[in-house]
Amino acid sequence: MKQVLITGGTRGLGLSTAQELTRRGHAVWLTARSADAGRAAVGAVKAQVPGAIVDWLPLDLDSLDAVRAGAAEALRRVPRLDVLLLNAAALWAEGQADVLTKDGFEKQFGVNHLGHFLYTHALLPLLKKSAPARVVVVSSQLHLSGRGATKGIPATLDLARVREAAGDHTERYRSSKLANVLFTYALDRRLAPSGVRAGCMCPGFVPETGVSHARGFKKFLFGTVLKAMPFATTLKTATGHFADVCVDVPLDELGGKFFVAGKPVRSSEVSYDEAQQEALWARSLSWCGLTDG
Ligand SMILES: NC(=O)c1ccc[n+]([C@@H]2O[C@H](COP(=O)([O-])OP(=O)(O)OC[C@H]3O[C@@H](n4cnc5c(N)ncnc54)[C@H](OP(=O)(O)O)[C@@H]3O)[C@@H](O)[C@H]2O)c1
């Protein structure tokens, strides 16, 4: 039985992966931004998997102080950690006022990358003590190619602009998902000698996860139209791939790789650029007030 910690376990793929992993006999800690949401998610897992070993931990990736507090509680309560699944993500709608994190970073970069960077650093002693262990980072194949005008164009990341909410929100999401891959490869390089490996993955396009918080036409679009498209993946299939990468794929096949729909594929060329990986690493350390080692 593995001990798995899933960030963003209140809905979507995080919740369904918690259900699938407990069904397979593993113990799951899921994170939530409030006690009500945490208790509801634990209830939703137990309703599907009677006898599931599952509990919740607080984590709000929108604030670095909240991440420090969440990590401190995880370190107090989690005795062993075999798998850290960095799944939570923000995808903000164009025009929404709340586009920066509490620390002034573009919301998607701050939540999807920087908060997870800090959380992972705080949990490293626990992961190393639990080795062999793994960190699985959820990215997106949208970092390889956008849609519409950016179709076929890989995402870029401009570290000088991560404190601005400039440009198109989907492009900022793509940048944050490139940051997830750059981070994964730099992390794996550092952790491999300690028996902890890091890999990243994309579930494919899963419109069903958008249904819970969409309204009106968008609900119909996600739940009916897009769900039926040949390029869409079902939540059940994507959840199975997530669970496989978390607990079944051997560590040496996971380390430094990008998985789409459960199979290793090449990530974007820029994601393999060690200079970019190291630049992101160094700036992230500094933004989080950390030093390496
Ligand atoms: N669905 C797809 O088609 C697709 C495709 C490619 C990649 N992905 C990736 O797969 C992962 C899961 O996606 P999903 O579709 O399941 O997403 P989702 O349904 O929107 O769920 C997102 C999760 O992240 C949590 N979260 C959001 N902001 C947070 C914050 N500031 N602090 C802590 N937790 C926060 C949410 O918690 P609350 O309930 O508190 O908001 C929720 O549990 C993401 O990394 C996403 O980028 C998804």
Side-chain angles (χ1 to χ4, degrees), residues 8-14 33 59-62 87-90 92 111 138-140 173 177 202-207 209 213 242:
T10 50
R11 54 190 164 89
L13 282 154
R33 289 195 270 179
L59 178 64
D60 187 350
L61 293 158
D62 192 75
N87 161 80
W92 257 253
V111 169
V138 182
S139 176
S140 168
Y173 174 75
K177 291 287 141 181
C202 170
F205 177 47
V206 192
T209 66
H213 46 101
F242 267 34

Side-chain angles (χ1 to χ4, degrees), residues 7-76:
T7 70
T10 50
R11 54 190 164 89
L13 282 154
L15 177 59
S16 63
T17 303
Q19 288 165 328
E20 177 60 20
L21 286 171
T22 51
R23 188 176 295 117
R24 294 186 190 187
H26 302 289
V28 170
W29 297 88
L30 54 84
T31 77
R33 289 195 270 179
S34 70
D36 282 352
R39 283 193 285 263
V42 166
V45 174
K46 289 188 171 165
Q48 281 220 352
V49 188
I53 301 174
V54 58
D55 206 342
W56 73 274
L57 291 163
L59 178 64
D60 187 350
L61 293 158
D62 192 75
S63 145
L64 295 175
D65 277 345
V67 173
R68 286 183 195 99
E73 178 153 351
L75 288 173
R76 268 197 306 277

Side-chain angles (χ1 to χ4, degrees), residues 16-287:
S16 63
T17 303
Q19 288 165 328
E20 177 60 20
L21 286 171
T22 51
R23 188 176 295 117
R24 294 186 190 187
H26 302 289
V28 170
W29 297 88
L30 54 84
T31 77
R33 289 195 270 179
S34 70
D36 282 352
R39 283 193 285 263
V42 166
V45 174
K46 289 188 171 165
Q48 281 220 352
V49 188
I53 301 174
V54 58
D55 206 342
W56 73 274
L57 291 163
L59 178 64
D60 187 350
L61 293 158
D62 192 75
S63 145
L64 295 175
D65 277 345
V67 173
R68 286 183 195 99
E73 178 153 351
L75 288 173
R76 268 197 306 277
R77 293 177 55 202
V78 181
R80 195 185 89 224
L81 185 57
D82 304 298
V83 184
L84 174 60
L85 173 59
L86 303 177
N87 161 80
L91 174 52
W92 257 253
E94 192 86 82
Q96 190 158 332
D98 185 19
V99 287
L100 298 179
T101 65
K102 299 228 166 34
D103 305 280
F105 292 91
E106 188 278 321
K107 185 76 92 175
Q108 295 168 109
F109 178 84
V111 169
N112 304 356
H113 166 68
L114 198 60
H116 276 141
F117 180 90
L118 177 58
Y119 196 60
T120 305
H121 267 75
L123 298 189
L124 281 184
L126 176 61
L127 284 160
K128 287 180 182 169
K129 193 180 83 179
S130 312
R134 67 185 67 195
V135 179
V136 181
V137 185
V138 182
S139 176
S140 168
Q141 57 191 342
L142 271 182
H143 89 276
L144 280 160
S145 166
R147 300 197 181 115
T150 57
K151 193 171 163 62
I153 300 176
T156 56
L157 176 63
D158 183 350
L159 293 178
R161 303 191 68 184
V162 297
R163 285 184 176 274
E164 302 165 17
D168 176 70
H169 73 106
T170 307
E171 283 308 300
R172 302 200 300 267
Y173 174 75
R174 294 202 322 124
S175 293
S176 78
K177 291 287 141 181
L178 169 61
N180 288 152
V181 187
L182 292 164
F183 165 57
T184 304
Y185 295 162
L187 182 67
D188 186 61
R189 202 161 42 246
R190 283 166 171 80
L191 290 185
S194 65
V196 183
R197 301 301 304 264
C200 50
M201 64 180 173
C202 170
F205 177 47
V206 192
E208 277 165 86
T209 66
V211 175
S212 63
H213 46 101
R215 289 184 210 293
F217 176 70
K218 271 202 166 165
K219 205 173 191 74
F220 171 72
L221 184 70
F222 281 106
T224 310
V225 181
L226 292 173
K227 192 178 159 193
M229 291 292 160
F231 50 79
T233 307
T234 65
L235 183 58
K236 188 172 189 296
T237 300
T239 301
H241 291 144
F242 267 34
D244 292 347
V245 174
C246 283
V247 295
D248 287 347
V249 169
L251 272 189
D252 55 352
E253 289 174 27
L254 171 84
K257 300 280 181 355
F258 174 56
F259 285 73
V260 176
K263 298 271 180 291
V265 303
R266 266 191 86 72
S267 52
S268 69
E269 285 314 307
V270 80
S271 71
Y272 295 106
D273 179 351
E274 284 195 20
Q276 291 225 28
Q277 295 165 14
E278 292 304 315
L280 175 64
W281 188 276
R283 296 295 298 277
S284 300
L285 282 176
S286 146
W287 286 320

